[in-house]
Amino acid sequence: MRNIRLRLAYDGTNYHGFQRQEKTHGPTIQGTLESTWMRLVEEEVTLATAGRTDAGVHASGQVVNFMTLARIPDEKIPKAFNSLLPRDIRVLQADSVPDDFSARRSARWKRYDYCLDNHRIPDVFQRLYAAHVPVPLNLEKMQMAASFLEGRHNFKTFAAAGGESKTFVRTIYRCQVKEAHQFLKIACVGDGFLYHMVRIIVGTLMDVGKGRILPEEIPEIIASQERSRAREIAPAHGLTLAHVNYTDESPFDVFKDLV
């Protein structure tokens, strides 16, 4: 058998998240990919993923892997998949990897990007990919607050109920906020993320920008380990899984300036 790794991009708008669900819940990315492979080679496979994105969340650099007996050459797999997949899912690359490779367990670090539309009237063309915040946001204070999130911490404060993680300790290598044409881009690079962690971080940074939280309060909010101290979860559609790294390459070298 071969262990095949795929790099994916998808628009999560029309899907009930990545993970396969009961049909009554609607289509999922995993279910769509697995059924497409069945149509291609009449083989049932189970995909493992680097990150189980939620309903409405997008990806430009998702990674999955699966074991197969099929003999399609690696370089022809993307074209085969994309000939049958809906247009909002694309296989960007395929390669054979060692049997012990796991899209989830072998990952060294990941990058998530979040987009905020800070125009008074929302941008029509970005409405599915940016969360609209029509009130003024203090960029400088948000940047200062983001810097306090960097480092290795117990991020229980920023974990939503329902996650399966046994430990809340994670390392955020970079957390940056940049502005471009009244869009705010928030980029987080870390060795792993808890359930809804990035969206809770974004919600908290939004409240900093609105003046509801002082940047200097972030270390104490982290230390409290109380979910109630962080703010509401930002909408799913502003979030994109941008990159998953499996090499010894340092995130500090790759992302000196994130956004």
Side-chain angles (χ1 to χ4, degrees), residues 74-148:
D74 292 355
E75 65 274 13
K76 293 187 177 181
I77 289 176
K79 184 177 181 180
F81 258 117
N82 293 335
S83 68
L84 295 180
L85 282 169
R87 295 175 65 184
D88 50 9
I89 304 176
R90 294 290 92 173
V91 174
L92 305 177
Q93 183 180 358
D95 59 319
S96 295
V97 290
D99 289 350
D100 62 354
F101 173 87
S102 164
R104 180 178 64 84
R105 294 190 303 273
S106 301
R108 301 294 184 86
W109 44 268
K110 304 173 187 176
R111 170 179 171 171
Y112 282 91
D113 292 346
Y114 198 96
C115 187
L116 294 172
D117 180 353
N118 204 209
H119 294 88
R120 184 177 61 85
I121 298 173
D123 186 302
V124 170
F125 300 105
Q126 292 298 315
R127 70 191 187 281
L128 302 179
Y129 314 105
H132 184 225
V133 185
V135 300
L137 296 172
N138 188 311
L139 176 62
E140 184 176 347
K141 289 185 177 180
M142 292 176 71
Q143 291 170 330
M144 185 184 303
S147 70
F148 285 120

Side-chain angles (χ1 to χ4, degrees), residues 165-201:
S165 299
K166 296 179 181 179
T167 174
F168 298 96
V169 176
R170 298 290 187 275
T171 301
I172 293 184
Y173 301 109
R174 286 282 189 269
C175 187
Q176 295 183 2
V177 187
K178 296 290 181 68
E179 181 182 26
H181 308 295
Q182 288 188 291
F183 284 91
L184 293 184
K185 301 291 183 67
I186 300 169
C188 288
V189 179
D191 61 359
F193 294 91
L194 302 164
Y195 186 47
H196 287 166
M197 179 174 165
V198 177
R199 290 166 59 192
I200 295 171
I201 284 174

